[in-house]
């Protein structure tokens, strides 16, 4: 009896996993492309006022900086799901096909970005301008390292 | 002496507010339109798997549901800044001009949405499927109430 309950439980979770996989597979490439571009747009929107402060074009405002850094830190972990297998084409995209040929490296660069944006949010929240400026450089470096290799810019 | 320090402090904060206002004013309408559409795209991306569960097209998964609800709850408070004065045109947009003619009402609908999505995230985190389904209806109602009035759908 217990064994059959276990069997049913296993079958149910297999079915659930399958259903999730099918649901994920049902996402059209253009939908994924549009989604990931939206995440980048939101990151860019929040990046702009931070850059303005970093370049002293607007006065330093720790609370504002921390707000934008916190948003970016919550957006970066949502990027990777926008790059499913097969979404190298389907709509206009700057994502190079090399991404899917080097997915482990791409994932590793994404996890660098997640780590650096989280660190930026933490240091910005603490309110130390010098340390925030320092960590901002590292974060921008994580963006650049991935763009250099995997983003085609005309 | 103290009074002049206070004066300087006041002037500095006025200058900071002005600089922020100028920075915000510098955002082009098309940039704001593109930004707000991105927030909606991200909300939609996260809404889809929730709808699939609500409609029993995929098995109920409390953790998955809560993850998407949490993301949506953090996205909705970021919508309003995508509707600055003057962004009723500048790029293709479904946002009706009525938004800027009734900004107080629009803001109130936005704050309903923020409240309902937060409630959905809270109830989903608690893991009660029945209550989550109930709160999902209220949340979808908050979306609809704003779309009906302020979104032009062809």
């Amino acid at each position: 009896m217990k064994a059959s309950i276990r069997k049913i439980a296993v079958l149910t979770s297999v079915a659930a996993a399958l259903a999730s996989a099918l649901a994920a597979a049902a996402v059209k490439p253009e939908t994924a492309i549009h989604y990931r571009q939206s995440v980048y747009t939101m990151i860019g929107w929040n990046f702009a006022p931070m850059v303005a402060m970093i370049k002293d074009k607007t006065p330093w405002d720790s609370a504002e900086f921390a707000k934008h850094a916190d948003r970016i830190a919550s957006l970066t972990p949502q990027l990777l799901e926008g790059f499913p297998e097969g979404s190298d084409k389907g709509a206009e995209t700057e994502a190079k096909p090399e991404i899917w040929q080097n997915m482990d490296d791409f994932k590793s660069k994404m996890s660098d970005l997640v780590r650096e944006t989280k660190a930026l949010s933490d240091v910005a929240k603490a309110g130390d301008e010098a340390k925030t400026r320092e960590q901002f450089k590292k974060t921008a470096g994580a963006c650049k390292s991935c763009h250099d290799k995997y983003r085609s810019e005309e």
Side-chain angles (χ1 to χ4, degrees), chain A:
Chain A
M1 184 62 178
K2 268 189 185 170
S4 30
I5 289 175
R6 215 173 298 134
K7 261 188 203 165
I8 290 169
V10 167
L11 283 172
T12 308
S13 74
V14 166
L18 250 173
S20 296
L22 284 170
V27 171
K28 292 180 189 165
E30 61 262 39
T31 307
I33 292 171
H34 191 47
Y35 165 74
R36 72 190 181 220
Q37 289 171 344
S38 296
V39 188
Y40 284 114
T41 297
M42 286 195 70
I43 291 173
W45 175 268
N46 285 288
F47 210 63
M50 291 162 66
V51 171
M53 288 185 228
I54 291 285
K55 295 191 171 175
D56 297 316
K57 292 191 177 173
T58 53
W60 192 265
D61 180 333
S62 296
E64 269 296 296
F65 197 101
K67 183 184 83 176
H68 294 295
D70 179 54
R71 288 177 176 182
I72 290 176
S74 75
L75 289 166
T76 52
Q78 300 181 54
L79 276 169
L80 195 59
E81 67 202 73
F83 294 87
E85 196 62 46
S87 67
D88 54 329
K89 51 189 101 176
E92 205 175 314
T93 174
E94 292 174 342
K96 289 188 182 170
E98 282 82 350
I99 290 173
W100 292 269
Q101 291 151 16
N102 305 282
M103 191 42 91
D104 285 349
D105 180 57
F106 184 70
K107 280 183 181 168
S108 143
K109 287 192 168 11
M110 275 292 182
S111 88
D112 291 348
L113 179 69
V114 168
R115 187 189 64 242
E116 298 301 344
T117 53
K118 172 74 168 63
L120 184 61
S121 171
D122 288 346
V123 81
K125 240 172 254 171
D128 182 322
E129 183 181 334
K131 283 185 186 164
T132 303
R133 285 180 180 272
E134 197 51 47
Q135 180 55 36
F136 182 84
K137 278 185 216 163
K138 287 192 196 169
T139 308
C143 299
K144 189 178 182 305
S145 144
C146 199
H147 290 172
D148 282 352
K149 194 163 176 185
Y150 294 118
R151 182 189 185 185
S152 86
E153 289 168 281
E154 272 95 61

